[in-house]
Amino acid sequence: MSKAEKKKNLDTPTEERLKEAARKVFTQKGYAATRVRDIAAEADINLALVNYYFRSKEKLFELIMTETIQNLFEKIKPIINDETTTLIEKLEAIVDQYIQLLIENPDFPLFIVNELMSGSNKLPIMTDNGKMFFNSHLVKQLTQMHSSGKLKFHPVNIMMNTLGMIIFPFLARPLFLRSGILTPEAFRAIVEERKKLIPVWLTQIINS
Amino acid sequence: MSKAEKKKNLDTPTEERLKEAARKVFTQKGYAATRVRDIAAEADINLALVNYYFRSKEKLFELIMTETIQNLFEKIKPIINDETTTLIEKLEAIVDQYIQLLIENPDFPLFIVNELMSGSNKLPIMTDNGKMFFNSHLVKQLTQMHSSGKLKFHPVNIMMNTLGMIIFPFLARPLFLRSGILTPEAFRAIVEERKKLIPVWLTQIINS
DNA sequence: AATTTAATTAAACAACTGTTTAAAACAATA
DNA sequence: TATTGTTTTAAACAGTTGTTTAATTAAATT
């Protein structure tokens, strides 16, 4: 898109355009490094309208964050609470869904980690959904496997490994690309292949 | 330490005290959220001295970042280039060293994430060390296993899994703790246990 | 002891920050 | 059309930011 073409998209209303611009800038630069003027410029909309529609920078951030996280967990919830599927089937579905989401939003993990670790309790929704997660049918299956002796270590290890193997490549992506170890296409191909590999690996880990 | 006791530690010279304060504040809050005044206050040293000793906030950050990364790779280098050890032995050593480092410095990952988010290749040290890693004996062993057919997928998957399983728990730590899923002690115990578990899991993954 | 150099300080600076204001342009309604 | 409410605008505001200055104190050198 050229500089001129990037200008006002009059099809979408102001509020929505601002929100999308904010989502883009926040995820790229993080909360602290984002200037309200960046958001206004990205949307090509007057600065004052950010506060007019969203009251404050922080309120806008919380809105976007809540929406994003909520959307993520809405996708995961039916998977982890499906009482008809096995543990492995659930993990397969999680891996597939999650990697697909990350392929579409590659800088999402860096964003979450940055906000998560910079301390502020801007994200109560994360811990809320975290609790929901650890009360899920998936976790019940895991703890039962553990107490029955089939799983020989703390169940939380399975979640750590699942999420670690899914998310880490995207965190390290800038490193892989900048160092020339992987091209963007190679990265994409490997991550796509991991959709099938990770469940296999997890199965072996569980049965060890 | 009480407010009074926290005051000037006259044993260590100004420059060193400032650098340590900077390291602490940067790692806790991230680059963008850190104020030079925070650093000066943390060290209980006059604001102007930050610029007097380090020229600018950015220069100070780069100095600390370079030192930290270099220190990390100095520890890893002898492990991954040891020609007398097997692949698994190398991975065992990496897991042990890395987890130990993260236990002692839990918000180290944020530091890295910060650098990764800043986008621009300000720090050639990362890509430099990345290339060093790419040429290591460890990577030679991996690629040889791959080309000989013993490893059935791209070798980079092994590194992704190794680092993912090591680092992810520390990234998600604030979530585990704030949600009450794990106590600090439980987290510590699990991470300690993973020092032995991860190499076992990696062995299974490699032989699949 | 006298002189030069380095370290420290409080204050100021200019640019930048999120937010507000008051007026203008626009849309809806009667 | 006249009136009302809504959206948009440029400008201003007050506070914060990284950085510099000019003066003072401490240390080192002669």
Side-chain angles (χ1 to χ4, degrees), chain A residues 35-37 47 56-57:
Chain A
R35 310 290 102 133
V36 179
R37 282 166 178 79
L47 169 66
S56 73
K57 177 191 176 185

Side-chain angles (χ1 to χ4, degrees), chain A:
Chain A
M1 243 198 283
S2 79
K3 207 172 185 179
E5 286 164 341
K6 197 184 169 184
K7 289 263 166 185
K8 306 199 186 216
N9 176 2
L10 294 167
D11 298 339
T12 46
T14 305
E15 189 173 350
E16 199 58 35
R17 234 167 67 236
L18 273 176
K19 212 160 76 177
E20 276 319 299
R23 189 191 312 276
K24 181 174 176 182
V25 182
F26 275 138
T27 43
Q28 269 175 9
K29 317 221 275 183
Y31 177 82
T34 292
R35 310 290 102 133
V36 179
R37 282 166 178 79
D38 298 341
I39 299 173
E42 172 70 33
D44 193 38
I45 281 177
N46 187 281
L47 169 66
L49 291 181
V50 178
N51 290 67
Y52 178 79
Y53 281 105
F54 304 101
R55 300 182 51 98
S56 73
K57 177 191 176 185
E58 195 167 358
K59 283 265 192 303
L60 173 55
F61 179 78
E62 283 170 13
L63 177 73
I64 291 172
M65 215 47 253
T66 305
E67 259 187 35
T68 309
I69 305 284
Q70 201 59 37
N71 181 54
L72 169 68
F73 274 90
E74 288 307 322
K75 283 180 182 166
I76 300 295
K77 209 187 274 184
I79 297 173
I80 64 179
N81 281 320
D82 187 337
E83 307 211 353
T84 72
T85 53
T86 66
L87 173 61
I88 298 296
E89 283 168 341
K90 284 189 182 63
L91 293 179
E92 275 172 357
I94 289 173
V95 169
D96 192 79
Q97 274 278 350
Y98 217 135
I99 288 188
Q100 194 53 43
L101 183 107
L102 292 178
I103 285 175
E104 286 157 18
N105 307 313
D107 41 340
F108 184 70
L110 272 177
F111 173 57
I112 297 293
V113 167
N114 192 37
E115 303 307 334
L116 195 65
M117 299 204 65
S118 54
S120 64
N121 5 342
K122 273 199 274 289
L123 308 173
I125 189 156
M126 292 224 52
T127 50
D128 287 355
N129 279 302
K131 280 175 188 166
M132 181 276 288
F133 183 84
F134 278 83
N135 289 326
S136 65
H137 185 248
L138 165 63
V139 171
K140 283 190 177 64
Q141 285 175 305
L142 278 170
T143 49
Q144 199 202 327
M145 273 193 79
H146 183 230
S147 53
S148 76
K150 280 194 70 178
L151 192 65
K152 298 191 177 56
F153 41 80
H154 195 301
V156 83
N157 281 295
I158 297 298
M159 295 325 302
M160 286 175 172
N161 294 351
T162 306
L163 296 175
M165 290 198 282
I166 292 173
I167 295 171
F168 180 81
F170 291 90
L171 285 172
R173 199 177 80 120
L175 232 137
F176 285 124
L177 299 189
R178 269 191 254 164
S179 65
I181 291 170
L182 293 177
T183 64
E185 298 75 32
F187 179 86
R188 168 65 186 265
I190 282 169
V191 160
E192 196 74 51
E193 195 191 3
R194 286 172 71 85
K195 278 187 189 173
K196 290 176 182 171
L197 287 173
I198 292 175
V200 176
W201 296 329
L202 286 173
T203 306
Q204 293 175 314
I205 288 175
I206 290 171
N207 299 330
S208 69

Side-chain angles (χ1 to χ4, degrees), chain B residues 143-156:
Chain B
T143 48
Q144 200 202 327
M145 274 194 77
H146 183 229
S147 53
S148 76
K150 279 194 70 177
L151 192 64
K152 297 190 178 58
F153 41 80
H154 195 301
V156 83

Side-chain angles (χ1 to χ4, degrees), chain B residues 14-34:
Chain B
T14 304
E15 190 173 348
E16 199 58 35
R17 233 166 69 237
L18 273 176
K19 211 160 76 178
E20 276 319 300
R23 191 191 309 277
K24 181 173 176 184
V25 182
F26 275 139
T27 43
Q28 271 176 6
K29 315 221 278 185
Y31 177 80
T34 292

Side-chain angles (χ1 to χ4, degrees), chain B residues 37-169:
Chain B
R37 282 164 178 82
D38 298 341
I39 297 173
E42 173 69 33
D44 194 36
I45 281 177
N46 187 281
L47 169 66
L49 291 181
V50 178
N51 290 63
Y52 178 78
Y53 281 105
F54 304 100
R55 299 183 53 93
S56 73
K57 176 191 177 185
E58 195 168 356
K59 283 266 193 302
L60 173 55
F61 180 76
E62 285 173 12
L63 176 73
I64 292 173
M65 178 65 73
T66 305
E67 259 187 33
T68 309
I69 305 282
Q70 200 57 38
N71 181 54
L72 169 68
F73 274 90
E74 291 306 323
K75 282 181 183 167
I76 300 295
K77 209 188 274 184
I79 297 174
I80 63 178
N81 280 320
D82 188 337
E83 307 211 353
T84 72
T85 53
T86 65
L87 173 62
I88 297 297
E89 284 168 342
K90 284 189 183 64
L91 294 178
E92 275 173 355
I94 289 174
V95 168
D96 193 80
Q97 275 276 352
Y98 219 134
I99 288 187
Q100 194 53 42
L101 182 105
L102 291 176
I103 285 175
E104 287 160 14
N105 196 351
D107 34 34
F108 179 74
L110 171 65
F111 209 41
I112 304 297
V113 165
N114 248 275
E115 171 57 19
L116 291 179
M117 277 198 87
S118 70
S120 63
N121 36 355
K122 270 202 303 279
L123 296 181
I125 187 158
M126 292 224 55
T127 48
D128 285 357
N129 279 303
K131 281 172 186 164
M132 182 276 286
F133 181 84
F134 186 69
N135 292 324
S136 68
H137 186 246
L138 166 62
V139 171
K140 283 189 178 64
Q141 287 176 303
L142 278 170
T143 48
Q144 200 202 327
M145 274 194 77
H146 183 229
S147 53
S148 76
K150 279 194 70 177
L151 192 64
K152 297 190 178 58
F153 41 80
H154 195 301
V156 83
N157 280 294
I158 297 298
M159 294 326 300
M160 287 175 173
N161 294 351
T162 305
L163 296 175
M165 290 199 282
I166 292 173
I167 296 172
F168 181 81

